[in-house]
């Protein structure tokens, strides 16, 4: 599970704060909407193993960027 907060989408980029699993500290994700590439990301100390969380966040940001209703936050869970 990963929590995304402060989702901001403009013409070229999508970015947000990312809270993996039970972390109280945030990381960040920024995606280029034109190329679908990661521009940058950080994970909180001790959560470096959660790189798959970045992939889930990236795919969600690309998906929501095409919507007219951009939420401020989102919880993503997978099995």
């Amino acid at each position: 599970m990963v929590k995304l907060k402060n989702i901001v989408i403009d013409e070229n980029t999508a970015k947000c704060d990312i809270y993996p699993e039970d972390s109280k500290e945030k990381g960040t994700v920024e995606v280029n909407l034109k190329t679908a590439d990661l521009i940058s990301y950080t994970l909180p100390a001790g959560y470096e193993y959660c790189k798959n969380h970045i992939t889930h966040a990236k795919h969600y940001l690309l998906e929501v960027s095409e919507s007219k209703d951009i939420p401020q936050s989102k919880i993503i869970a997978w099995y």
Side-chain angles (χ1 to χ4, degrees):
M1 179 185 82
V2 63
K3 296 176 188 173
L4 306 181
K5 295 185 177 182
N6 303 316
I7 299 170
V8 177
I9 297 178
D10 64 29
E11 187 176 312
N12 299 314
T13 62
K15 54 188 170 184
C16 67
D17 297 331
I18 183 171
Y19 295 81
E21 299 299 327
D22 298 322
S23 176
K24 302 242 188 269
E25 300 295 319
K26 71 177 179 178
T28 59
V29 177
E30 186 172 7
V31 179
N32 181 318
L33 296 177
K34 305 250 187 235
T35 64
D37 292 329
L38 278 173
I39 295 171
S40 65
Y41 73 89
T42 61
L43 286 165
Y47 288 86
E48 295 82 7
Y49 66 94
C50 293
K51 185 153 186 208
N52 68 325
H53 291 63
I54 300 297
T55 302
H56 286 283
K58 172 188 161 185
H59 289 293
Y60 176 75
L61 291 172
L62 290 169
E63 178 183 316
V64 78
S65 70
E66 298 175 7
S67 173
K68 292 186 181 189
D69 280 332
I70 309 298
Q72 286 286 315
S73 62
K74 175 72 175 177
I75 295 176
I76 301 171
W78 58 93
Y79 298 87

